[in-house]
Amino acid sequence: MEKDLIEYIAKSLVDDPSAVSVRETEGERGPMLELRVAPGDIGKVIGKYGRIAKALRTVLAASASREGRRYGLDILD
């Protein structure tokens, strides 16, 4: 569910939605979502001063907490 949510939001933000991919992995602190976008769209996902990335992480935390889970979000280029 969280994977689909992040993918939906990211596709809404970028110019090339077909290049958006989200993969679930296991990190050092638990489950992680890895978000990949086209190189030209990385700034749109991170935002000025990282505000959009922070908002994505906040929405992810709120969604995951409903199920008692915790996720991390990595934005990869």
Side-chain angles (χ1 to χ4, degrees), residues 35-50:
L35 173 62
R36 289 189 186 269
V37 297
D41 289 331
I42 193 79
K44 292 180 180 169
V45 173
I46 294 175
K48 190 180 257 186
Y49 303 111

Side-chain angles (χ1 to χ4, degrees), residues 5-6 10 15 19 23-24 26 28 31 43 46 49 56 72 75 77:
L5 176 65
I6 294 299
D15 290 333
R23 188 171 68 121
E24 188 170 347
E26 190 65 33
E28 295 175 3
I46 294 175
Y49 303 111
L56 284 170
I75 300 172
D77 53 343

Side-chain angles (χ1 to χ4, degrees), residues 7-38:
E7 185 174 1
Y8 175 78
I9 294 171
K11 284 183 177 184
S12 301
L13 293 171
V14 299
D15 290 333
D16 186 9
S18 63
V20 172
S21 69
V22 180
R23 188 171 68 121
E24 188 170 347
T25 62
E26 190 65 33
E28 295 175 3
R29 296 183 182 178
M32 298 286 295
L33 293 179
E34 293 180 350
L35 173 62
R36 289 189 186 269
V37 297

